[in-house]
Amino acid sequence: MIDFSKINLENTINSGQVFLWKKQKEFWYGINGQDILKINNFGKITSYSGNKYDFFRNSDDIEKIIKSISKDKTTKLAVEKYFGLRLIRQDPFQCFISFIVSSNSNIQKIKSSLEKISMKFGKKIEFDNKEFYIFPEPKKIANATIQEIQSCGVGYRAKFILDAAKIVESKQIDFNYLKKINYKEAKEIILSVPGIGNKVADCILLFSLDKLEAFPLDRWMIRILKKYYLEKFQLETKTITEKQYEVLHEKIIKHFGVYAGYAQQFLFKMERENYQKNWL
DNA sequence: CCAAGGCCTGAATG
DNA sequence: ACATTCAGGCCTT
């Protein structure tokens, strides 16, 4: 009898979804928006504020999802190998900024930039006798200058970050609304933000806005698809244009189903581990 | 609609 | 040492 409720914390945190996490002794500590989460080995969450979070999406029927996405040998292997890997439901604004920062970058640098952003613009909080800087509120970034944001090592993304924060602050984008509408509608809205393209939009939708059919296609996923699904998805072109991204996504949904985002996370994790890439 | 080039930055590679 | 390449893209031409 398989216990589907089991969560593998290490694999989940080290799968490119979140960046402001660190392990101290037997606990993982992480910044989730305006809050700090502390997680023990059993996946039990306590928070600085006392608020409750379904951070690991326990309300999802994981058994049903695993069965639903296990459509081929490769996915079955990934799901088995990284059993307990979960998608995370993270703070939308932090996720939004994090993946704008992530574009054309790598995990170590994303982490470093986000730490600097938190330290510069976020509140310092003591929790468990440790110091943390929580993620800044939209207003705080929206009122900053490009130079201040650039000092966090984000380069040309500084303007994107500033404008994105302004868009959220002015309520042109309302994450609670995006959660209610469907994937395609929400994606169209997110894509209107400068600095956000298909891949970044899908990350935001999948990791913070409950759109499980989002399937971020980055260099790694393209590499994976070419390796294991070459004929199935007919990947003959070198670069993925906007149109090709859309067409490919449709084929992916047809194959993996509506929980494709989960499949993506397992495949991504497996391939990165195969190449022994570092995480946090 | 597609292809090519530029872009901040820091670590890795030659 | 120093130059070049590359990294979880996006935008403009």
Side-chain angles (χ1 to χ4, degrees), chain A residues 68-69 211-214 253 256-262:
Chain A
S68 156
I69 61 173
K211 303 296 183 267
L212 298 182
E213 67 266 60
I253 294 296
F256 291 110
V258 291
Y259 303 115
Y262 267 96

Side-chain angles (χ1 to χ4, degrees), chain A residues 49 55 77-78 96 104 156 174 184 215 223 241 249:
Chain A
S49 70
F55 197 62
L77 177 63
F96 184 67
N104 194 20
Y156 63 86
D174 174 6
K184 279 199 167 151
F215 194 103
R223 184 182 306 182
T241 65
H249 182 252

Side-chain angles (χ1 to χ4, degrees), chain A residues 39-93:
Chain A
I39 306 183
N40 72 10
N41 285 326
F42 305 103
K44 181 161 173 45
I45 305 172
T46 49
S47 69
Y48 170 76
S49 70
N51 291 342
K52 306 275 187 219
Y53 298 90
D54 186 8
F55 197 62
F56 297 115
R57 309 188 60 92
N58 283 320
S59 53
D60 285 351
D61 186 343
I62 193 74
E63 178 171 1
K64 179 176 130 195
I65 290 170
I66 295 282
K67 284 176 177 161
S68 156
I69 61 173
S70 298
K71 299 284 207 249
D72 55 77
K73 245 173 33 192
T74 310
T75 318
K76 280 179 185 157
L77 177 63
V79 162
E80 193 179 320
K81 217 167 165 182
Y82 296 98
F83 186 78
L85 171 65
R86 296 303 183 87
L87 281 175
I88 291 172
R89 180 186 281 121
Q90 52 181 294
D91 175 74
F93 180 64

Side-chain angles (χ1 to χ4, degrees), chain A residues 21-272:
Chain A
W21 283 78
K22 58 187 168 187
K23 194 168 190 182
Q24 296 197 4
K25 302 275 178 59
E26 71 270 38
F27 297 105
W28 277 98
Y29 292 90
I31 305 303
N32 191 45
Q34 302 296 298
D35 212 346
I36 305 163
L37 305 187
K38 176 186 178 183
I39 306 183
N40 72 10
N41 285 326
F42 305 103
K44 181 161 173 45
I45 305 172
T46 49
S47 69
Y48 170 76
S49 70
N51 291 342
K52 306 275 187 219
Y53 298 90
D54 186 8
F55 197 62
F56 297 115
R57 309 188 60 92
N58 283 320
S59 53
D60 285 351
D61 186 343
I62 193 74
E63 178 171 1
K64 179 176 130 195
I65 290 170
I66 295 282
K67 284 176 177 161
S68 156
I69 61 173
S70 298
K71 299 284 207 249
D72 55 77
K73 245 173 33 192
T74 310
T75 318
K76 280 179 185 157
L77 177 63
V79 162
E80 193 179 320
K81 217 167 165 182
Y82 296 98
F83 186 78
L85 171 65
R86 296 303 183 87
L87 281 175
I88 291 172
R89 180 186 281 121
Q90 52 181 294
D91 175 74
F93 180 64
Q94 181 177 342
C95 186
F96 184 67
I97 298 298
S98 297
F99 284 93
I100 292 174
V101 169
S102 81
S103 125
N104 194 20
S105 187
N106 57 65
I107 290 182
Q108 277 70 27
K109 200 154 100 48
I110 299 163
K111 179 182 166 68
S112 137
S113 296
L114 291 173
E115 280 170 353
K116 287 175 188 161
I117 288 174
S118 293
M119 209 171 284
K120 194 168 180 67
F121 301 109
K123 288 196 198 92
K124 191 201 309 194
I125 286 183
E126 195 168 308
F127 178 45
D128 259 19
N129 295 316
K130 301 172 209 307
E131 258 181 24
F132 296 91
Y133 288 88
I134 56 176
F135 202 75
E137 295 176 284
K139 178 173 54 181
K140 195 80 194 225
I141 299 181
N143 290 332
T145 64
I146 290 190
Q147 289 73 26
E148 286 175 312
I149 297 171
Q150 245 165 2
S151 75
C152 301
V154 297
Y156 63 86
R157 304 168 193 83
K159 185 170 169 41
F160 294 148
I161 295 166
L162 175 61
D163 291 343
K166 284 180 179 168
I167 286 169
V168 174
E169 173 59 14
S170 68
K171 309 262 193 271
Q172 279 176 264
I173 279 192
D174 174 6
F175 295 121
N176 285 326
Y177 174 67
L178 295 182
K179 281 187 184 186
K180 287 180 199 140
I181 61 182
N182 70 35
Y183 167 73
K184 279 199 167 151
E185 292 169 337
K187 183 161 182 181
E188 201 178 323
I189 293 171
I190 299 233
L191 279 176
S192 71
V193 178
I196 298 185
N198 270 304
K199 187 268 175 184
V200 169
D202 276 334
C203 286
I204 297 165
L205 291 164
L206 180 60
F207 302 144
S208 73
L209 298 172
D210 298 329
K211 303 296 183 267
L212 298 182
E213 67 266 60
F215 194 103
L217 289 166
D218 57 16
R219 290 165 118 96
W220 284 93
M221 282 314 301
I222 296 298
R223 184 182 306 182
I224 294 163
L225 295 181
K226 282 188 173 167
K227 193 162 157 188
Y228 304 108
Y229 301 91
L230 192 58
E231 308 101 80
K232 179 167 285 297
F233 297 135
Q234 297 151 7
L235 292 141
E236 55 271 313
T237 52
K238 287 189 190 73
T239 54
I240 303 294
T241 65
E242 202 170 334
K243 183 71 190 162
Q244 286 164 342
Y245 193 107
E246 195 186 324
V247 170
L248 185 50
H249 182 252
E250 275 170 23
K251 291 179 190 168
I252 284 165
I253 294 296
K254 203 165 277 179
H255 178 64
F256 291 110
V258 291
Y259 303 115
Y262 267 96
Q264 182 271 349
Q265 204 58 29
F266 281 102
L267 293 170
F268 181 71
K269 175 70 178 171
M270 179 166 75
E271 195 68 358
R272 297 264 311 184

